[in-house]
Amino acid sequence: MVNKLNGSRPIPRDRFRLAGTWVQRLHGLATAAAFVAFLPGGVLVFGQSLSISSPQSARAAKIFAVRCASCHGTDAHGTDHAPRLAGLRELRGRSVAWIRGVIYNGVPSGGMPAFHLPADELNVLAAMVYSLNSPAAEAAVPGDRAAGEKYFFGQGNCSSCHMVEGRGRAVGPDLSNVGFEMRVDEIRQSLLHPNAHTTPDYGLVTVRLRDGKMIRGFARSRSNFEIVVQDTKQKFHMLRGADILEIQQEKQSPMPPATASPKELENLIAYLSGLTGVKPGVSESINQEQPGGISWLRILHPQMGDWLSYNGRLNGNRYSKLTQIKTTNVNTLRLKWIFSVPLWEQFLPDTAYFRQNMKYFGLETTPLVADGVMYVTGPHEAFALDAGTGQKIWQYRRQRTASGVSGDASLGTNRGMAILGNKVFMTTDNAHLIALNRTTGKPVWEVVMPQGATHDGSTIAPFVVKDLVIAGVSGGDWAGVRGFIAAYKAANGELVWRRRIIPRKGDPGSETWGGNLEKAEGGATWLTGSYDPETDTLYWSTGNPYPDSKGRAPGDDLFTDSILALNPNTGKVKWFYQVTPHDVHDWDANAPLILVDANYQGRQRKLLLFTNKNGFFYVFDRTNGHVLLATPFVRLNWASGIGADGRPKLLPTNGSVCPKMGTNWSAKAFDPVTRFYYVMARESCFVKSAVSNRVQPARKYLRALNIDTGKVVWQVPQFGPAGGKRDAGVLATAGGVLFYGDPTGDIVAVNARSGKTIWHFATNGQNKASPMTYMDHGKQFLAVAVGPNILCFGLP
């Protein structure tokens, strides 16, 4: 079959159906049940599952023949009167009790009568229907699994196309969870007759372009106007309708029928049937990276238009060198595409915390872009998109953790991914760190970051340094959490080092908890750090102690509310600075750490720029942590300044504390041309009286600070709600444009030098994320998450 395209006309859907190709996709769209065979006498025999014994099986078959076969068919595959019961996807995951209830009560709206059978008959019949849809992993499958594994990775050459738990190649579907996703008979059929079924997202096509090029591979994603083809080298080709001359769907699978001996086939099926997904723990076998991955050198020195880490570059500065979008044409920006994260697929608990935060829920993710593919996260899920159109290529999804997770992690908050080689990395609500293959979106390894039973969660975008992936935990505003930073080998998830924020008894800093170290909690590490390759130093900020109010024993509570300079290879502290000793106002230090090299106070210096919730703007010498400048950037009355010893000089507050929150975690930026530091500041005070405690009405201001003096050069007052978790960040560009999201849901561009507004786009959504920019097909784009959507803008 050939599809011909003229110009940008849509690809006709009725002519885009793919013929049967490849192995039946061993993925969630496949149904799963124990294999079924029919004896010459017509008696149904099915693979054992649950507690069904052979005599019960025979009894169930007889009951089925009398009660059900006339409508559902003697083979349970359905008739004109009733649907199939064998291999019925809708029954996947249903319990025996649920099936028993349907049989007993019937389906009046569907014409199925109730069957008030004796309890023993009802039980065996329900168990039989369940068995017809149970996965291979629940069936009694003969064969030698170890021999089957050896055949898969050896003589059978299966791993040359398929990956299992990080081993093999990601050319075809990942088979790590096939035992739960297919029935035994489906696995057998796929091996012996690979042309019998079309694998979703793996239909083989040959695309002829108008420039004469031919691209052959799998149609991983398609719409009426484009197709994303994955070639056999695992590279994605994003092809637009206007560029396509014709598309030919190939009928033959690239996988030949299995030529294994009967015993080898039995062993191979046994091995595949036992695959039930990647489990938490270090991968036993290190997967060798395939060509075409994202190297550490490329992350250190991104190609023009890449966005390979949370802030675009490892220095934490949300500043892009791209110049296509500039002050003279930014007013022509147009919305190019929208991708909506399907939040309705998640089941959320009905609690006061959820009800409050769902009022202003929005994505907080920052996308990554590499080789034309955008990677984004949502609650408990991740996506790979065509960066040019937003077309989904793959989706990874996991279940929300039912209990034991506190704070934002329990909401499903997630700020993004990291990338290295052929993997992307993300954290989960229950503080697991997972590696996904960036071609298939399937897990390669998964590790549990906390030690022991804790309430830790994680919302962080992980951070890659060399061959390590580094992440922290959230939940420090709740009981039962002791923060830490941990580094793992990107290849297999092996723990390399762990830096605890609250020291153990006898360790440096333990004396600062007033003798109550056993009760010390807090110090979450939920915001991505920064890295200086010249000094080989990792910088990370830490959260407040718990509880974040008065009542703790006197002491500085190290190493909460601190900036840590670490050796990235060992986690050893080079220096630290605590911005708010003994914090009782929730002034955590989880904010961007921007590393810049500039002429400062008469000489070239390596600087660290930082604004804190406590209201101070800091400039550090990042080689030693020495404070070069500390000055208020909002109204501040709790301290008169920072002393020569680096400690705040406290003032009596007399019932009023300003600020309540000077700024928050959202992205900041420094423009080396203007020498301005940009921050979304919040003017607010906390007032305590004999009658009540209250927060004065707050107001936000986009402010540009002169880094030499800390003075406000210009500001843009922000109308709209300043409360709630609405903390959109900023993006500065070499085009002289500063982008941000305002409290009313607008995406705004201002002149970076003057603060004059030069473009805006009304989304009427919740701005909680920070913008980023990238290039695709030679054009610059701006992307930002608003509410449940990723919005992408570009020039005409």
Side-chain angles (χ1 to χ4, degrees):
M1 179 184 293
V2 175
N3 288 329
K4 294 185 177 181
L5 290 139
N6 295 313
S8 58
R9 289 188 299 175
I11 302 170
R13 282 195 176 276
D14 62 341
R15 299 179 62 195
F16 208 104
R17 291 193 298 268
L18 301 177
T21 60
W22 200 247
V23 155
Q24 169 66 32
R25 187 185 185 193
L26 311 183
H27 184 52
L29 293 180
T31 55
F35 64 91
V36 182
F38 293 91
L39 301 179
V43 180
L44 182 65
V45 180
F46 50 92
Q48 295 185 26
S49 176
L50 300 176
S51 59
I52 308 237
S53 64
S54 295
Q56 288 175 318
S57 301
R59 186 183 180 202
K62 291 179 180 179
I63 297 171
F64 183 90
V66 173
R67 302 284 189 181
C68 313
S70 61
C71 288
H72 293 283
T74 57
D75 60 357
H77 279 72
T79 68
D80 292 339
H81 304 291
R84 64 188 298 151
L85 296 178
L88 183 62
R89 183 181 177 190
E90 288 75 7
L91 289 180
R92 170 56 59 86
R94 298 293 188 179
S95 66
V96 174
W98 183 90
I99 297 172
R100 184 170 55 235
V102 172
I103 297 172
Y104 186 84
N105 297 312
V107 185
S109 61
M112 175 181 167
F115 289 86
H116 293 164
L117 305 177
D120 57 339
E121 290 188 19
L122 196 61
N123 289 340
V124 295
L125 187 59
M128 170 189 168
V129 175
Y130 176 92
S131 176
L132 295 176
N133 297 279
S134 60
E138 294 183 2
V141 183
D144 184 337
R145 286 201 62 210
E149 179 179 13
K150 184 177 180 180
Y151 182 86
F152 184 94
F153 290 101
Q155 181 182 349
N157 202 31
C158 307
S159 60
S160 64
C161 289
H162 297 284
M163 184 171 284
V164 171
E165 298 177 2
R167 300 168 62 191
R169 297 186 66 210
V171 176
D174 187 294
L175 306 185
S176 301
N177 198 34
V178 60
F180 270 148
E181 294 172 343
M182 293 186 74
R183 304 190 309 268
V184 177
D185 64 317
E186 290 174 328
I187 295 175
R188 180 185 297 274
Q189 180 78 357
S190 297
L191 293 170
L192 296 177
H193 306 286
N195 292 324
H197 302 281
T198 297
T199 300
D201 299 344
Y202 282 92
L204 191 63
V205 298
T206 297
V207 182
R208 184 157 67 95
L209 303 178
R210 295 187 182 279
D211 62 6
K213 293 181 180 178
M214 303 283 287
I215 297 176
R216 184 173 185 262
F218 303 112
R220 292 296 305 278
S221 178
R222 64 187 184 275
S223 72
N224 287 326
F225 302 96
E226 73 165 314
I227 182 171
V228 179
V229 177
Q230 175 203 325
D231 65 25
T232 56
K233 295 182 179 179
Q234 306 171 50
K235 180 180 179 181
F236 290 119
H237 301 266
M238 288 70 171
L239 307 176
R240 312 290 183 257
D243 301 323
I244 300 172
L245 186 62
E246 63 181 24
I247 302 174
Q248 181 176 359
Q249 287 83 52
E250 301 187 23
K251 296 182 179 181
Q252 296 299 313
S253 169
M255 172 182 167
T259 58
S261 68
K263 188 62 178 178
E264 289 171 336
L265 183 63
E266 179 181 84
N267 294 338
L268 180 58
I269 292 173
Y271 169 64
L272 294 172
S273 297
L275 297 177
T276 57
V278 173
K279 304 299 188 298
V282 177
S283 176
E284 295 182 0
S285 60
I286 297 177
N287 175 49
Q288 298 297 321
E289 289 293 341
Q290 301 295 325
I294 305 299
S295 69
W296 166 238
L297 184 62
R298 181 172 166 186
I299 295 172
L300 267 179
H301 307 288
Q303 299 174 4
M304 186 64 72
D306 277 349
W307 194 280
L308 302 180
S309 58
Y310 176 66
N311 287 304
R313 291 181 178 268
L314 301 178
N315 61 10
N317 188 12
R318 203 66 73 113
Y319 176 80
S320 170
K321 296 182 179 179
L322 297 181
T323 59
Q324 281 189 8
I325 299 173
K326 48 195 173 184
T327 56
T328 56
N329 63 13
V330 67
N331 63 339
T332 66
L333 278 181
R334 299 290 184 268
L335 181 64
K336 294 295 185 177
W337 56 260
I338 302 173
F339 177 79
S340 295
V341 172
L343 301 179
W344 54 87
E345 294 180 358
Q346 302 294 333
F347 294 95
L348 305 178
D350 184 19
T351 66
Y353 188 74
F354 266 85
R355 287 193 295 272
Q356 175 64 28
N357 283 280
M358 287 302 112
K359 293 178 181 178
Y360 36 75
F361 182 81
L363 298 175
E364 297 183 11
T365 185
T366 295
L368 304 182
V369 173
D371 300 331
V373 181
M374 176 181 286
Y375 303 93
V376 300
T377 59
H380 322 294
E381 54 196 338
F383 304 86
L385 312 176
D386 179 340
T389 65
Q391 181 77 16
K392 184 175 71 174
I393 299 172
W394 56 250
Q395 176 182 3
Y396 166 77
R397 183 182 174 204
R398 63 192 288 130
Q399 294 298 316
R400 180 184 64 83
T401 302
S403 61
V405 178
S406 302
D408 283 1
S410 70
L411 301 174
T413 299
N414 192 287
R415 296 186 175 90
M417 289 188 272
I419 190 169
L420 182 66
N422 290 309
K423 304 182 186 73
V424 287
F425 308 90
M426 67 178 291
T427 60
T428 67
D429 61 343
N430 59 346
H432 290 207
L433 177 65
I434 58 176
L436 305 176
N437 180 276
R438 73 185 187 104
T439 302
T440 64
K442 298 298 183 181
V444 175
W445 54 254
E446 176 176 341
V447 294
V448 180
M449 295 196 293
Q451 295 176 310
T454 70
H455 295 289
D456 297 79
S458 193
T459 58
I460 195 171
F463 195 59
V464 164
V465 176
K466 302 176 187 177
D467 62 345
L468 302 179
V469 56
I470 305 167
V473 294
S474 64
D477 293 324
W478 304 74
V481 173
R482 284 188 165 200
F484 63 86
I485 310 162
Y488 301 85
K489 288 185 179 179
N492 64 353
E494 179 184 347
L495 178 66
V496 176
W497 57 260
R498 182 188 302 272
R499 169 53 54 186
R500 294 176 176 83
I501 304 309
I502 299 175
R504 290 173 170 173
K505 186 175 181 179
D507 288 344
S510 59
E511 72 284 357
T512 66
W513 286 86
N516 287 324
L517 190 62
E518 67 278 2
K519 297 182 180 180
E521 294 179 319
T525 51
W526 46 266
L527 195 62
T528 309
S530 305
Y531 174 69
D532 180 3
E534 291 186 34
T535 61
D536 194 23
T537 304
L538 172 69
Y539 299 88
W540 214 277
S541 57
T542 70
N544 52 270
Y546 175 85
D548 56 358
S549 58
K550 294 180 180 179
R552 300 191 314 276
D556 286 354
D557 309 322
L558 290 175
F559 293 89
T560 63
D561 284 21
S562 296
I563 298 170
L564 304 180
L566 306 170
N567 181 324
N569 308 301
T570 64
K572 183 178 179 180
V573 177
K574 295 184 177 183
W575 61 260
F576 75 92
Y577 178 83
Q578 189 176 42
V579 291
T580 311
H582 194 70
D583 176 19
V584 294
H585 300 294
D586 190 21
W587 288 335
D588 62 69
N590 285 308
L593 306 174
I594 295 181
L595 315 180
V596 300
D597 295 341
N599 189 292
Y600 194 80
Q601 296 180 348
R603 65 187 180 94
Q604 193 70 16
R605 289 182 181 269
K606 300 178 76 64
L607 305 176
L608 187 155
L609 310 179
F610 179 70
T611 42
N612 187 228
K613 282 184 177 180
N614 67 14
F616 279 101
F617 168 59
Y618 299 85
V619 179
F620 296 93
D621 182 329
R622 72 173 184 268
T623 65
N624 54 24
H626 179 65
V627 178
L628 302 177
L629 176 71
T631 186
F633 67 97
V634 292
R635 181 186 174 194
L636 187 154
N637 71 354
W638 66 276
S640 61
I642 304 298
D645 59 356
R647 299 178 68 87
K649 296 187 286 186
L650 301 179
L651 293 172
T653 55
N654 299 319
S656 174
V657 178
C658 304
K660 176 65 173 68
M661 180 190 298
T663 187
N664 210 339
W665 61 270
S666 54
K668 282 66 175 175
F670 170 75
D671 187 330
V673 178
T674 64
R675 288 178 62 84
F676 296 162
Y677 173 96
Y678 305 101
V679 57
M680 187 63 73
R682 183 185 302 185
E683 293 284 2
S684 65
C685 296
F686 178 81
V687 180
K688 183 177 182 180
S689 68
V691 179
S692 63
N693 298 332
R694 64 186 179 88
V695 178
Q696 290 181 344
R699 180 136 187 212
K700 290 182 176 179
Y701 296 82
L702 176 64
R703 286 179 172 159
L705 308 181
N706 183 314
I707 68 165
D708 296 297
T709 64
K711 301 297 183 182
V712 177
V713 181
W714 57 254
Q715 67 178 17
V716 181
Q718 302 295 299
F719 294 94
K725 294 180 179 178
R726 301 178 179 93
D727 293 295
V730 301
L731 167 72
T733 70
V737 183
L738 182 73
F739 294 97
Y740 70 96
D742 77 9
T744 61
D746 282 53
I747 308 302
V748 187
V750 301
N751 185 300
R753 188 171 293 279
S754 67
K756 180 181 178 181
T757 299
I758 47 182
W759 173 83
H760 74 100
F761 181 91
T763 72
N764 302 301
Q766 298 296 335
N767 274 327
K768 300 184 65 179
S770 303
M772 55 82 69
T773 187
Y774 65 95
M775 292 190 75
D776 183 73
H777 287 73
K779 296 182 179 180
Q780 183 181 356
F781 294 91
L782 171 78
V784 63
V786 180
N789 304 309
I790 306 295
L791 307 179
C792 181
F793 301 88
L795 297 172

